[in-house]
Amino acid sequence: MGDALSRATSFNEKGGVITMNKNGDQGVMAAVSGVTISPSSGKNAHIDVYNSAKPSEWGNVSSQLGTVHTHTSGTETIGNRKFGFEQSPSGQDILNAAGRGNLPLNNYVLSSSKNTVYIYNGPDTLATFPLQKFLSFGK
Amino acid sequence: MKKILFSFLWISSSVYSYDNHDTIRITEKEHLKDMALIVQQHLTAEALYLNVLSLDSIPFETGKLKFLNRIEVCCNNIRRLPHFFSDFTHLEVINLGNNLKLDLKSSFMLLSKCYGLKEIQLYSSDIKIVPDEISLLTSIVKLNLSNNIIKVLPEGMSKLSNLEELNISSNPINIYSILSTIKLLPRLKKLNIYNCKLTVIPDSLESLGNLEELILTGNKIKSLPESISYLSKLKTLIIADNQIEDIPLSIIKLKELKVLLLGGYKIDENKLNYIKKKMPWCNIIGNKI
């Protein structure tokens, strides 16, 4: 997860689905990275967390626990204007979460530029959390 | 002398080897002024990255890079590809995504001369009409048209006889029209229709008999058609982030299906358990909503 975040300073999103495999081990089924987007273009960066980079690996998954994705921190300056992307969960993020059932771990957006983890479910953002603390769990 | 030293210092941090292939990657617009020098020193470069640089056109110096097999010029303001693109005979992958005013017709005509071209990225570019000239790109294997405003695909698409992967996600597609066009693609193995506001999947899905991976995530689909059972080569079916209330029993005919990813679902548990029992070869994953 830390690796995905360090690469989020580009212009695309990274992420996947938090899973438990048939041995009881937790992991993340990494999704195909979102496409590169210019913040000044007015287009949204996005990722389909279920579009797995290695879909055959779902064969060893017993359940989905939650989802996680980064919001890209890349910025673009044109003249005097600086462009960037929204860091909190988007309306689409919330909408997607609403259709995922009661995931034990909810859904997470990692924002390196705001140093924040947003924890959200269908209705709304539930909580925020300092990113560095989140990444240091278990260390 | 001072200027040359600066250039060399910069080149060492911006041009580097990647998988033993020479790659040119420019990340700051101000460095483009040294393009002639960079190109001269890396004439055998195989990959060129000029993404998010507010470029109006592709620098003419790049025409000397005859060995490029990958070009990424996404997230710029490029309107036309330069004529020398037809000389890129080694080109296999081009990322033209997020260029909002790109002339697709002339681009397709130029790229048709790149006989080894396998992949084109044309996402997030405000594309409403895909020109019929796309039919000239007969070598391509992978095409990404996601996040545009495409409703239908041109008839010429059916001539892309080598196309194996099509991403038409996040478009306001007419699914009936799209299926009638892509059913003529003989090698289509992976189809991504994520986030297209679909409420139904038509029975004509059955015509995509070579599909191995179908992604229908992020729509408003409540059920799958009985004809899903005709996709006999299907290995992965992802229908997460929908409103799935029912899946047909005919799905148990899919002997190659290894993964059925439901995400959240409202399917009757007894029926789902029955399907799971009848398909021990398939891992069915989801959470009841």
Side-chain angles (χ1 to χ4, degrees):
Chain A
M1 209 174 285
D3 181 47
L5 199 67
S6 65
R7 289 183 279 116
T9 48
S10 60
F11 294 89
N12 66 347
E13 295 185 349
K14 314 278 193 303
V17 181
I18 306 166
T19 58
M20 182 178 287
N21 69 19
K22 291 173 180 175
N23 296 324
D25 300 323
Q26 290 185 16
V28 175
M29 280 289 296
V32 174
S33 297
V35 294
T36 303
I37 294 289
S38 154
S40 68
S41 72
K43 300 291 180 186
N44 293 324
H46 58 277
I47 184 171
D48 174 9
V49 291
Y50 287 104
N51 183 14
S52 303
K54 295 177 181 173
S56 63
E57 291 182 1
W58 278 104
N60 195 39
V61 170
S62 64
S63 61
Q64 56 172 359
L65 304 178
T67 75
V68 60
H69 70 280
T70 62
H71 274 184
T72 183
S73 60
T75 58
E76 192 179 10
T77 302
I78 298 177
N80 294 326
R81 295 187 65 188
K82 189 173 182 180
F83 298 87
F85 292 104
E86 176 62 46
Q87 296 297 297
S88 58
S90 67
Q92 188 64 48
D93 289 335
I94 298 284
L95 197 62
N96 287 341
R100 289 174 186 157
N102 295 315
L103 299 176
L105 295 180
N106 286 306
N107 304 275
Y108 301 78
V109 163
L110 310 187
S111 162
S112 57
S113 67
K114 288 206 169 182
N115 189 30
T116 299
V117 178
Y118 297 87
I119 304 170
Y120 65 102
N121 63 6
D124 212 344
T125 298
L126 299 171
T128 59
F129 203 83
L131 178 62
Q132 293 311 319
K133 205 158 192 168
F134 185 83
L135 293 174
S136 66
F137 283 153
K139 288 185 178 175
Chain B
M1 186 65 192
K2 197 173 180 180
K3 188 177 179 183
I4 292 172
L5 181 61
F6 168 78
S7 296
F8 270 102
L9 281 173
W10 169 70
I11 287 169
S12 66
S13 63
S14 302
V15 182
Y16 57 93
S17 179
Y18 176 72
D19 289 345
N20 295 324
H21 300 305
D22 208 358
T23 296
I24 298 175
R25 188 188 300 266
I26 310 281
T27 55
E28 300 291 337
K29 192 173 184 181
E30 62 189 270
H31 296 153
L32 287 167
K33 66 181 186 299
D34 296 312
M35 198 68 194
L37 181 61
I38 297 166
V39 166
Q40 201 58 41
Q41 293 182 346
H42 297 83
L43 288 172
T44 58
E46 294 184 6
L48 173 68
Y49 294 81
L50 298 173
N51 298 332
V52 202
L53 293 170
S54 305
L55 293 176
D56 295 322
S57 60
I58 296 175
F60 69 92
E61 296 94 338
T62 58
K64 294 180 180 174
L65 301 169
K66 303 296 186 192
F67 297 96
L68 289 176
N69 61 39
R70 183 183 192 98
I71 299 177
E72 292 212 9
V73 288
C74 69
C75 310
N76 287 296
N77 303 310
I78 296 166
R79 290 169 181 260
R80 291 180 76 88
L81 296 184
H83 63 86
F84 56 73
F85 257 64
S86 58
D87 298 332
F88 289 146
T89 53
H90 295 265
L91 190 63
E92 292 185 6
V93 178
I94 184 161
N95 185 347
L96 294 164
N98 203 203
N99 281 286
L100 302 184
K101 293 176 181 171
L102 183 68
D103 180 343
L104 289 180
K105 187 174 176 178
S106 67
S107 300
F108 291 158
M109 291 173 78
L110 272 172
L111 291 171
S112 69
K113 308 281 175 52
C114 304
Y115 299 113
L117 190 64
K118 289 185 168 57
E119 177 180 338
I120 304 182
Q121 299 280 331
L122 282 168
Y123 61 83
S124 302
S125 298
D126 278 354
I127 299 170
K128 190 172 184 181
I129 306 287
V130 179
D132 208 45
E133 282 74 10
I134 198 167
S135 63
L136 300 171
L137 306 174
T138 52
S139 63
I140 62 169
V141 173
K142 191 173 177 180
L143 175 62
N144 183 353
L145 291 167
S146 67
N147 202 24
N148 284 296
I149 38 181
I150 297 167
K151 290 183 179 173
V152 299
L153 291 171
E155 285 184 18
M157 275 284 293
S158 60
K159 294 182 179 168
L160 305 184
S161 56
N162 289 299
L163 193 67
E164 293 182 4
E165 289 188 30
L166 175 62
N167 185 344
I168 190 82
S169 64
S170 300
N171 278 286
I173 60 169
N174 176 328
I175 186 64
Y176 296 93
S177 172
I178 295 285
L179 286 178
S180 70
T181 305
I182 65 175
K183 73 180 181 185
L184 300 171
L185 298 170
R187 296 192 182 178
L188 191 65
K189 291 180 180 173
K190 179 174 178 177
L191 178 61
N192 188 336
I193 326 182
Y194 161 76
N195 189 30
C196 288
K197 295 186 168 56
L198 302 180
T199 54
V200 293
I201 296 296
D203 267 322
S204 51
L205 183 74
E206 68 184 26
S207 56
L208 306 178
N210 285 320
L211 269 194
E212 293 180 6
E213 187 175 346
L214 177 58
I215 300 172
L216 296 168
T217 324
N219 286 291
K220 296 178 179 174
I221 301 164
K222 292 189 175 177
S223 65
L224 294 173
E226 289 281 344
S227 61
I228 191 84
S229 64
Y230 287 93
L231 305 185
S232 60
K233 295 180 181 174
L234 200 62
K235 293 178 180 170
T236 306
L237 176 57
I238 303 179
I239 47 178
D241 291 349
N242 276 285
Q243 298 166 7
I244 298 293
E245 296 174 354
D246 191 25
I247 46 178
L249 288 175
S250 63
I251 200 165
I252 64 178
K253 293 178 184 172
L254 298 178
K255 305 295 184 192
E256 298 294 320
L257 192 65
K258 300 285 190 294
V259 173
L260 172 55
L261 183 53
L262 295 167
Y265 62 82
K266 300 177 182 174
I267 306 165
D268 175 74
E269 289 287 0
N270 290 332
K271 184 172 186 180
L272 189 59
N273 286 334
Y274 177 78
I275 290 171
K276 283 180 177 176
K277 193 176 174 184
K278 290 288 183 182
M279 296 182 81
W281 58 84
C282 180
N283 196 15
I284 301 175
I285 308 153
N287 287 52
K288 181 86 174 175
I289 298 176

